[in-house]
Each structure stands twice: as C-alpha cells, then as structure tokens.
Amino acid sequence: SRLSDDDSGFRVYSPELDRDLERHVEMEAELYRALERDEFELYYQPQVNARTGVLAGVEALLRWRHPQRGLISPGEFIPLLEECGLMPRVGTWVLRTACLQASEWQRQGLPPLRVAVNLSAQQFRMSNLVECVQQALDDAGLAAEHLELELTESLILENAEQTIQAMHQLKKLGVSLSLDDFGTGYSSLSYLRRYPVDRIKIDQSFVRDMTEHRSSAALVRSILAMAHNLGLGTIAEGVENDTQLGYLRKLDCQEIQGFLFSRPLPVEEITQLLRDVRRWASPDPLEAASST
Ligand code: C2E
Ligand code: MG
Ligand code: MG
Ligand code: MG
C-alpha cells in the first residue's frame, strides 16, 4: 500500500490495490451495462474482388456507442473486455448479430454475401464454441457457407493442439476460416500447412509499406506466392490507394478490403451500399470508388 490522493486532494493512506480493484469493478460495471443497454454495435466493411470490384463479403467490426464518450473503437475496449472475462459474451453477441444481419440481407432480396466475424482467444477457450457457432447459424437461418471466422496466428499458437482441433470442428460445420493480420505472427510461412484455414488476410502494415519499402513488397509477394501454392484464398487489408491496388492486382491477390473501396459502415449505410446496384454492375467499381 502507498500514499495516494483521494477525491478531496488530501493525501490519504489507502492501499493501491483497493483503488485498482475499485477502478476494475467500475469498468466492469460499465461494460456489463453496455451489454444490457445494447450499447455495442456492429459496423461492416466491404471485401471486394481485386480484379472486378464485385463485393464478395463484409467484415463485422465491433463498436461501443458510449452514452457520454460517443463511439469507441475496439482497440480501446476489447483489451478491457478480455481483462473482465466478458469477451466470450460480447463475442457471442457479435457472432449472433452478424449472422442475423446476413440472413436479414438475404431476406431483403440482396445477393447472398459472406460475413466475416473476428474471434478472440478467449472465445476459443470456450468449451462450447462449436455449438455456439452452430446455434448462431441455426437461430439466424443462415447457411454455414456464408460465415467466415477470422482468427490470428497468436491465437492459434497460444494453445496450438486444442485450437487446431477446434478449427477442424468448425470446418466440419461448413464455415470458412481465415488467418487475420497475417505476417505479424511468430510462425513461419510453412506453418500454414498445419492450419485448416481457407484463406489469409495480409496485414495492413505490409500493405501500407509495400509501395515504399522493398522488404515489405518482397514479403507481400512471397506471402501471396506461398498462399497460391497452398491453394489458399487471399485478401489484403488496409488498401487505401490505387498504387497499392495495382500492385496487389499484379500479384494476383484475390480480394481487397480498405478505405479505397469503403470504410467500415453502420448497418443502414452498408445496407444502402449493398442495394446500390452500380456497385455490383459497374465495369470497374474500384476505379469509380477511388475517383470519388
Ligand atoms: P482487424 O480484424 O484486423 O480489422 C481491420 C481493422 O483495420 C479495422 O479496425 C478496420 O477499421 C481497419 N481498416 C480497414 N481498412 C483500413 C484502411 O484502409 N486503412 C486503415 N488505416 N485501417 C483500415 P477496427 O474496426 O478499429 O478494429 C480493430 C481490431 O479490433 C480488429 O482488427 C480486430 O482485431 C478487433 N476487433 C474488431 N471487432 C472485433 C470483434 O467483434 N471481436 C474480436 N474478437 N475482435 C474484434
Ligand atoms: Mg479481422
Ligand atoms: Mg486484420
Ligand atoms: Mg489488423
């Protein structure tokens, strides 16, 4: 315990542990309240074919609409959710909400599209993860082929054997798996063969640097070559300009995701974008997107 300031500004003798605990409890209460009051929201970012610009899917991205602080990005609160042990609950909400939304778009007559959901390490430690995914699909009436689950290398490495087993079980349900932030993890490219993944997402840090740094360009080139050799699908995230797009096209990267085409959008706006037939029919929507 240490000397610390209390609210009145007096130095009081109070154990720091109490303060930490207090803050922790407060934060936890806020996050529980956020769940109860429906303060979490999903934004959706398009994933498009790099050659044709045809929209192939969307990634669901979590946001917290805090009553006082406004929209908070996941980088700020996901670590707190994990600390509180709330991530499995919120993650389950994300999964169910994204499946319901995908099914709702189909009900509205939009062409079926793939929805990608990020899974956290804590979700992978849930003993009932596979049932939870199946339940989300069933309750939404969504075919498994329309759901993609994104996981990271570090998540897999945390508990390799058990995680790879769970991945196989998820594959059996018919969902697809992608490896997020690829290239930032610790494992070598050859580890890819051990993972039952359908595609890899090249991390945005490489996409950002690729047009300026030879080393990043070389890395992107070898990641794509390796993926092609292994028969894996490919998507690059964080694509912001035409130079990056041109480069990725030349290297046969299948899909792109990034501000060039669209930022993550709230549900009304993404629904409007999905309805906008020009986005689907234009001969080069990517060019159209980048010129606006
Ligand atoms: P991520 O899964 O790698 O998602 C991509 C992030 O890159 C998103 O940030 C997205 O807004 C951002 N992004 C997309 N295109 C561009 C671009 O062109 N330029 C730049 N600078 N950024 C771009 P966001 O939404 O802040 O999410 C950050 C991370 O939080 C995600 O990274 C993911 O790891 C995590 N996350 C988000 N939602 C969830 C969720 O529902 N569950 C879990 N477990 N994690 C989530
Ligand atoms: Mg992701
Ligand atoms: Mg990513
Ligand atoms: Mg990332």
Side-chain angles (χ1 to χ4, degrees), residues 48-53 199-203 207 210 220-221 223-225 227-228 232-239 244-257 286:
V48 304
N49 184 294
R51 249 178 335 101
T52 64
R199 64 174 185 160
I200 55 166
K201 290 189 83 170
I202 298 175
D203 190 66
V207 175
M210 132 188 109
V220 170
R221 199 178 313 117
I223 289 173
L224 285 169
H228 292 148
L232 298 173
T234 52
I235 178 166
E237 65 179 13
V239 180
Q244 294 164 342
L245 173 63
Y247 197 93
L248 291 162
R249 271 179 170 167
K250 255 207 310 241
L251 296 174
D252 276 334
C253 184
Q254 286 167 354
E255 289 182 20
I256 62 148
Q257 177 179 348
L286 286 170

Side-chain angles (χ1 to χ4, degrees), residues 42-43 45 59-63 73-75 77-78 82 87 90-91 94-95 117-121 123 150 152 180-181 201 203-204 208 237-241 244 257-260 262-264:
L42 290 186
Y43 274 42
Q45 186 177 33
E59 178 178 8
L61 293 160
L62 187 59
R63 300 288 182 265
S73 59
F77 64 86
I78 284 184
E82 275 170 346
M87 201 56 223
V90 176
V94 171
L95 191 60
V117 170
N118 294 283
L119 291 187
S120 74
Q123 274 178 290
E150 295 192 0
T152 60
D180 205 352
D181 306 337
K201 290 189 83 170
D203 190 66
Q204 48 184 286
R208 197 190 310 122
E237 65 179 13
V239 180
E240 294 184 350
N241 59 54
Q244 294 164 342
Q257 177 179 348
F259 297 168
L260 175 64
S262 171
R263 287 177 177 270

Side-chain angles (χ1 to χ4, degrees), residues 8 32 35 38 41 46 54-56 63 79-80 83 95-96 130 132 138 149 179 182 226 234 250 256:
S8 59
Y32 269 108
L35 256 174
D38 257 350
E41 250 175 68
V54 168
L55 205 148
R63 300 288 182 265
L80 307 186
E83 209 176 303
L95 191 60
R96 298 181 60 83
V130 179
C132 183
D138 288 349
L149 302 173
L179 208 45
F182 190 78
M226 174 72 97
T234 52
K250 255 207 310 241
I256 62 148

